[in-house]
Amino acid sequence: MPALTFSPAVRSLKPSATLAAAAKAKELKSKGVNVLDFTLGEPDFNTPEHIRKAAWNAMEAGHTHYTPSGGIMELKQAVCRLYQRDYGLTYKPSQVLISNGAKHSIHNIIAALCGPGDEVIIPTPYWVSYGALVELTGATVVLVDTTEASGFILSAEQLERAITPRTKLLLLNNPSNPTGAAYTPAQLEALAKVAVKHNLLVLSDEIYEKLIYTGSQFRSFASFGPEVAALTILVSGVSKAYAMTGWRIGWTIGPVELIKAMDNLQSQETSNPCSISQYAALAALDGPQDSVEEMRVEFEERRNYVMDRMRPWRQKYGVTFAEPGGAFYAFFNVAALFGKPLAGGVTVSNATDFCTALLEKNHVALVTGDAFGAPGYVRLSFATSLDILQAGLGAIEDFMSGK
Ligand code: PMP
Ligand code: GLU
């Protein structure tokens, strides 16, 4: 076999750190180790029954063939109804593209818009795939650091300072993975004003829009008037709100010309998203919404439990964090523990080593903040049962106190 040489884009590509951390935890589990796994951001609930039934019915009805590459019209119409119903936003189906999960939507948007010479602004901490997907196109990532003190919120001033004549896109994630930060309407409006002033396109990843906790409020970035809506490319999907990660359905809502360009790309790349999943997503959007709220309430209970357990860590271990207003992640800074003896006397000097030692010694799997552009931090996904959270937080505390 000839020596394999890879394209420059793929040569520098790293695997998704979240998926890699989950795979590492699974590997250890397969060796019989009882790993307490908080790596993946995916609801632990089963997909609601009426959605599963709709998938079965779709197969029985013969919806097992290719669909239009950009998705079935019924689902595009259902997405339009959803935004009208929930946010009072009016869209036409020609502004909607259905893709193989929101990750694929984001990839398609960036691939359709960006190339060498373009700059894409990404606030840190950022979701692991953002930077990689921008770099794949040859465009330049411009990171803007947000701080724990500001609740990991990008300010209008920071955004304005980062804009150059080469800026193509702002990548905004609200509520945020990995920080759980939920922007207030006023904070979003301030960013929207800057976007309008500079005619800046904003990719607003709102995949956690339905997972908002008491005290926080969700507003879609597109809801600040027609000028803002015209610059906004919305991304969301069924993975988080309906516990449908495996079905792989996400969507983009944006200008008709962009949707057309992305559809061309998708028709060459993947053809349509799974036909059966599209009918299941249709049932999710049009069917009863009670399960969305039921799951949100459970996530809020878990969030409150995690925060109650973690607050004393500030005093005891010097761990710092901002409390999440949405999504299902606790993101905390463990730098105060670097150089100090942890379980078994081990010492670490960065968050990646902290996670490795925690997994090896106390069998708890977290994701390092290094993967999110946030050195010193670690991410815990609380999309798991209270029992496992209880055991896991105890084991993390043991690790930090040297047990
Ligand atoms: N955006 C963010 C911020 C995420 O955390 C994820 C991970 N699920 C996605 C997009 C992609 O979701 P999916 O591809 O499952 O729709
Ligand atoms: N978005 C989830 C996470 O951050 C799932 C993993 C992934 O898609 O990378 O854990």
Side-chain angles (χ1 to χ4, degrees):
M1 191 170 103
L4 290 176
T5 54
F6 295 103
S7 66
V10 164
R11 234 178 282 151
S12 55
L13 193 65
K14 291 190 206 74
S16 159
T18 42
L19 299 183
K24 200 167 151 191
K26 272 206 185 84
E27 193 191 317
L28 216 59
K29 275 188 224 168
S30 72
K31 290 181 184 153
V33 180
N34 179 24
V35 179
L36 298 159
D37 184 2
F38 305 104
T39 53
L40 264 194
E42 80 166 329
D44 54 330
F45 307 106
N46 198 0
T47 304
E49 193 182 0
H50 70 280
I51 302 174
R52 303 197 310 264
K53 284 203 167 132
W56 180 263
N57 292 341
M59 285 187 278
E60 292 298 309
H63 295 307
T64 51
H65 302 274
Y66 292 133
T67 75
S69 53
I72 54 173
M73 181 51 86
E74 296 94 310
L75 183 54
K76 292 182 179 191
Q77 285 166 337
V79 169
C80 294
R81 277 195 294 278
L82 173 81
Y83 282 77
Q84 189 73 57
R85 178 187 80 203
D86 291 0
Y87 310 129
L89 292 169
T90 307
Y91 289 107
K92 300 183 293 249
S94 57
Q95 292 179 274
V96 180
L97 186 83
I98 312 297
S99 298
N100 300 283
K103 189 186 278 190
H104 187 216
S105 305
I106 296 166
H107 171 69
N108 275 351
I109 295 165
I110 295 170
L113 289 173
C114 302
D118 293 326
E119 293 177 356
V120 178
I121 299 174
I122 304 181
T124 70
Y126 51 79
W127 180 47
V128 286
S129 293
Y130 288 170
L133 293 177
V134 170
E135 280 164 8
L136 265 182
T137 69
T140 305
V141 172
V142 175
L143 297 177
V144 180
D145 291 333
T146 68
T147 61
E148 192 180 292
S150 74
F152 297 113
I153 295 295
L154 175 74
S155 72
E157 296 72 35
Q158 282 182 303
L159 174 60
E160 187 134 37
R161 275 201 302 274
I163 295 172
T164 76
R166 295 179 157 219
T167 307
K168 196 67 186 260
L169 197 61
L170 162 67
L171 251 168
L172 197 66
N173 182 207
N174 175 43
S176 157
N177 176 3
T179 65
Y183 284 73
T184 64
Q187 287 163 339
L188 286 179
E189 193 164 20
L191 293 177
K193 280 193 180 137
V194 176
V196 170
K197 180 173 161 196
H198 294 273
N199 212 18
L200 172 67
L201 285 172
V202 179
L203 188 172
S204 188
D205 177 352
E206 303 181 352
I207 189 102
Y208 296 100
E209 65 198 288
K210 302 292 182 212
L211 297 176
I212 302 283
Y213 305 121
T214 308
S216 296
Q217 188 192 345
F218 176 76
R219 272 283 291 273
S220 175
F221 198 79
S223 70
F224 294 93
E227 275 185 313
V228 182
L231 292 168
T232 306
I233 305 162
L234 291 180
V235 169
S236 196
V238 293
S239 283
K240 315 292 169 171
Y242 300 96
M244 290 179 71
T245 47
W247 301 77
R248 312 307 303 130
I249 295 291
W251 56 77
T252 306
I253 310 178
V256 174
E257 315 82 75
L258 171 65
I259 296 300
K260 269 196 196 134
M262 289 170 63
D263 198 352
N264 289 346
L265 191 60
Q266 194 158 296
S267 75
Q268 297 287 12
E269 256 181 348
T270 58
S271 302
N272 61 279
C274 169
S275 59
I276 302 151
S277 296
Q278 290 189 65
Y279 283 92
L282 180 59
L285 301 193
D286 277 351
Q289 301 296 303
D290 322 16
S291 53
V292 177
E293 177 59 9
E294 279 159 24
M295 290 190 272
R296 190 203 67 78
V297 167
E298 268 206 54
F299 284 129
E300 176 145 359
E301 204 183 311
R302 295 166 182 187
R303 168 202 178 264
N304 293 344
Y305 175 76
V306 172
M307 289 299 111
D308 287 348
R309 288 286 304 262
M310 280 178 55
R311 275 182 213 112
W313 293 2
R314 290 184 167 129
Q315 193 84 50
K316 271 185 165 164
Y317 308 109
V319 164
T320 66
F321 54 91
E323 302 203 359
F328 34 54
Y329 305 105
F331 198 61
F332 49 103
N333 191 313
V334 293
L337 292 156
F338 297 165
K340 298 204 174 128
L342 301 165
V346 69
T347 58
V348 299
S349 57
N350 59 60
T352 302
D353 290 351
F354 181 94
C355 290
T356 305
L358 178 63
L359 184 58
E360 278 168 10
K361 303 270 174 210
N362 292 45
H363 304 151
V364 177
L366 303 179
V367 185
T368 171
D370 293 322
F372 305 98
Y377 284 84
V378 293
R379 189 192 80 171
L380 175 149
S381 162
F382 54 81
T384 187
S385 74
L386 275 175
D387 284 353
I388 298 176
L389 284 168
Q390 190 178 10
L393 290 161
I396 296 171
E397 187 151 10
D398 283 349
F399 177 73
M400 294 192 298
S401 61
K403 284 189 210 155

